[in-house]
Amino acid sequence: MSGPAHVLVARQDSTGDVLLAGPAVRAVAAGARRVTLLCGPRGRAAAELLPGVDDVLTAPAPWIDAPAPPVSRAGIEALVADLAAREIDEAIVLTSFHQSPLPLALLLRLAGVPRIAAVSVDYPGSLLDVRHLLDEDIHEVERGLSLVATLGYRLPDGDDGRLAVRRPRATEPPPLPWRGAGYVVVHPGAAVPARAWAPERNAALVRALGRQGRRVVVTGGRAERDLTALVAGPGRPEVADLGGRLDLAALAEILAGADTVVVGNTGPAHLAAAVGTPVVSLFAPVVPAVRWRPWKVPHLLLGQQDAACAGSRARICPLPGHPCLNEVTVEQVVTAIERLAPGTGVQAVPA
């Protein structure tokens, strides 16, 4: 490797965004001796799974996080000191179209980083050495790869640019209550409420899949245990409720074993893509599908992409009844599952 000795790549938001930065990180790792990934607290678990990352630095970003943490002089000074101590040769700030790289660029400059690159529609003054401009209507993966390519970083031969995660051998998800393969994952939650299908629709989907003879795994975070219990329903031998029982690495293993996953436009959709599992994407158009749809994995997009909320980045649906998603029927989702995983795993399930 003849590139800079130490490159910092920043992606300071959530799990899905960090996973989508993966191909750009691998391109940088192919040309640098060491790669540190700077992420926010919500993205750390994903950052630790990315191939090509040598070290992970976590710092909140009050200009990105929602809800935004308070700004403290002590916190900013501590971050600048940490960055300076790492002797970074080059920094690449990855952002989405609605985020500014300039606050972090200022801190990197104060830390003495000699070369800083980012996409910026705003005049960066002396904060950026490389200001990249591009068409905003491209996928987040392409956006990241385009930026790092301006610095000479490209994916190595044999790397097709798909999402990828490390799968630690020590990671063992809880055992499922049935033998053999063949199940559908239903992930009903989302960090942003506007991107979630109604709980009762998810529950009806699980019942419909059970009537077909399909096995179902319901997943969710620790704060979503009540939701996953409602969706899974009581006493169904064909359904496993793993709500609150999986870290991100274990969730990757459960997704890797699934025939397909039903999920909104949230982090587990991109984790499924990273392990090659087809996605039935209940995609709320509050963010554009062209930028955040599942990347390079078989998927079907459901939801009104031309709804009035399209592109609003709303966290709470502004329209009565959440029509962009709640007009998607259980039957449509069942049909999408059958298209992506026809007949896989369908068998009689003992009562």
Side-chain angles (χ1 to χ4, degrees), residues 322-337:
H322 202 183
C324 70
L325 288 186
N326 284 346
E327 289 188 5
V328 177
T329 67
V330 170
E331 291 74 18
Q332 287 174 317
V333 178
V334 170
T335 298
I337 292 170

Side-chain angles (χ1 to χ4, degrees), residues 74-275:
I76 293 297
E77 289 178 345
L79 177 57
V80 170
D82 190 340
L83 292 167
R86 291 172 184 265
E87 298 182 348
I88 298 162
D89 299 297
E90 185 173 70
I92 303 167
V93 183
L94 300 179
T95 55
S96 298
F97 73 100
H98 58 278
Q99 298 168 343
S100 173
L102 299 184
L104 179 58
L106 173 61
L107 302 186
L108 292 164
R109 194 63 88 202
L110 291 174
V113 177
R115 193 170 192 225
I116 305 169
V119 175
S120 181
V121 296
D122 298 317
Y123 171 64
S126 58
L127 298 182
L128 296 179
D129 301 287
V130 176
R131 178 196 185 191
H132 186 44
L133 298 175
L134 44 66
D135 179 0
E136 293 291 358
D137 278 328
I138 60 174
H139 199 279
E140 288 289 287
V141 173
E142 295 172 299
R143 180 183 176 94
L145 286 171
S146 177
L147 173 58
V148 302
T150 65
L151 303 170
Y153 298 113
R154 286 176 173 77
L155 291 166
D157 292 342
D159 189 329
D160 62 4
R162 296 176 186 268
L163 303 190
V165 290
R166 294 168 171 153
R167 295 172 62 183
R169 292 183 179 181
T171 298
E172 288 291 340
L176 297 177
W178 351 269
R179 294 179 181 176
Y183 57 87
V184 173
V185 170
V186 174
H187 188 91
V192 176
R195 303 182 193 180
W197 203 31
E200 57 272 16
R201 294 291 182 90
N202 282 283
L205 172 64
V206 170
R207 293 193 297 270
L209 293 173
R211 288 193 295 270
Q212 281 192 336
R214 287 190 185 264
R215 296 161 171 167
V216 182
V217 177
V218 182
T219 58
R222 292 181 182 177
E224 296 173 326
R225 288 174 175 169
D226 290 343
L227 171 62
T228 62
L230 184 155
V231 170
R236 294 186 185 135
E238 76 279 11
V239 181
D241 178 7
L242 298 186
R245 299 176 62 191
L246 304 172
D247 62 15
L248 198 67
L251 177 59
E253 296 305 310
I254 289 294
L255 292 171
D259 301 323
T260 186
V261 57
V262 180
V263 61
N265 45 326
T266 189
H270 304 303
L271 187 60
V275 295

Side-chain angles (χ1 to χ4, degrees), residues 1-7 23-35 52 54 89-90 92 148 151-156:
M1 297 181 183
S2 57
H6 188 185
V7 178
V25 169
R26 297 199 307 272
V28 172
R33 299 177 192 173
R34 181 173 182 82
V35 175
D54 298 300
D89 299 297
E90 185 173 70
I92 303 167
V148 302
L151 303 170
Y153 298 113
R154 286 176 173 77
L155 291 166

